[in-house]
Amino acid sequence: MTVQENTIEDAAVLEAAIAAVRDAGRRLLARYSEDARPADRAGLLAAAEANERTSNDELRSALAAARPQAKWLTDELETTELPPGEWWAVDAVEGNVNHVHGLPEWCVSATLLRDGVPVLAAVYQPVPGVVHSAVRGGGAFANGRPLRVSVKADLGAAVATTGQAEAGQSDTYRRIGESITAMLGAALLVRATVPSTFPLLLVAAGHADLFWQYRPTLPGVAAGALLITEAGGTVTDLAGQPWRPGSADILASAPALHAAALATLSTVN
């Protein structure tokens, strides 16, 4: 199959993926309340598990129908190199903790990877109702509007963002703290937030200028990596090598800021 034939086929799969994440998002929106405030950890976990059940099964069926040959990413493969072939990297309720606390930063995301490369992505944020989408080589869009990364070239004027460690990643705590300290001395503003997809979307749209994270999980960064690349940005690991599934870390930025951001973060071992 030629690259052009792949692109045409991927565009058709993207439409099915957009429909699937929209449907899942609508089901989750029916459970969402701005007034939600879990009283304790047990209540939080119960609400989060109910959200997963609401979103996951039908979403998985729809994506499997759209691309039957694609495998489903398991937890064991979220931080490792992917075997060859096609894989769906999906988060059925990304930002689940935000959902159960009445915050708007939650979404449904689906990314198709082929031989370790993201080729299409759909991200639906029901509040306020935005679909971010991209096909490799076809650009990045938000509700059909083309996205472009920032044109800034001065790290001192940059809005830098990073993500919190995933559960159990205690080995990253020191580096997260030291990297934020290093970036506070170089950038205009530093934000640390979850889930990872949202700061990555801000970089793709040029609202923020760069994002970095240690030990990212694939469902958390795959869609953003494709959207930023298609919006003209640069995505590598913190050694400056092209980012791939299984990379130990990620740096996604406006092109003219990448070298300075890499140099700043290189001071953290």
Side-chain angles (χ1 to χ4, degrees), residues 178-239:
E178 291 182 2
S179 64
I180 289 175
T181 300
M183 194 59 75
L184 283 168
L188 175 68
L189 180 68
V190 179
R191 301 176 67 189
T193 185
V194 292
S196 301
T197 291
F198 285 96
L200 287 165
L201 296 178
L202 293 177
V203 174
H207 294 301
D209 303 298
L210 67 95
F211 171 85
W212 81 95
Q213 188 175 15
Y214 299 99
R215 290 185 63 188
T217 64
L218 190 54
V221 300
L226 177 61
L227 284 154
I228 289 171
T229 301
E230 289 299 318
T234 302
V235 183
T236 71
D237 62 18
L238 288 176

Side-chain angles (χ1 to χ4, degrees), residues 33-206:
S33 170
E34 292 180 352
D35 297 325
R37 303 287 189 277
D40 53 32
R41 186 179 180 87
L44 185 161
L45 292 176
E49 289 169 4
N51 283 344
E52 291 283 350
R53 291 193 298 272
T54 297
S55 178
N56 198 47
D57 290 346
E58 291 184 43
L59 175 62
R60 181 167 181 158
S61 296
L63 293 174
R67 198 66 175 173
Q69 63 268 51
K71 304 178 185 69
W72 197 260
L73 192 74
T74 61
D75 292 347
E76 292 75 18
L77 291 172
E78 288 189 348
T79 56
T80 65
E81 186 176 346
L82 279 183
E86 293 188 351
W87 295 83
W88 281 114
V90 174
D91 198 323
V93 201
E94 184 153 19
N96 207 344
V97 172
N98 291 340
H99 183 291
V100 302
H101 282 84
L103 295 167
E105 289 189 329
W106 55 274
C107 64
V108 182
S109 70
T111 304
L112 183 69
L113 297 103
R114 180 175 300 125
D115 296 331
V117 177
V119 295
L120 66 89
V123 181
Y124 179 46
Q125 185 184 7
V127 184
V130 180
V131 175
H132 287 80
S133 62
V135 171
R136 189 173 183 230
F141 301 88
N143 282 352
R145 179 176 54 83
L147 298 175
R148 295 300 300 173
V149 297
S150 161
V151 298
K152 288 179 187 171
D154 176 9
L155 188 58
V159 176
T161 61
T162 188
Q164 184 177 314
E166 298 285 342
Q169 293 181 344
S170 57
D171 59 308
T172 66
Y173 296 171
R174 176 189 58 80
R175 285 180 290 164
I176 292 171
E178 291 182 2
S179 64
I180 289 175
T181 300
M183 194 59 75
L184 283 168
L188 175 68
L189 180 68
V190 179
R191 301 176 67 189
T193 185
V194 292
S196 301
T197 291
F198 285 96
L200 287 165
L201 296 178
L202 293 177
V203 174

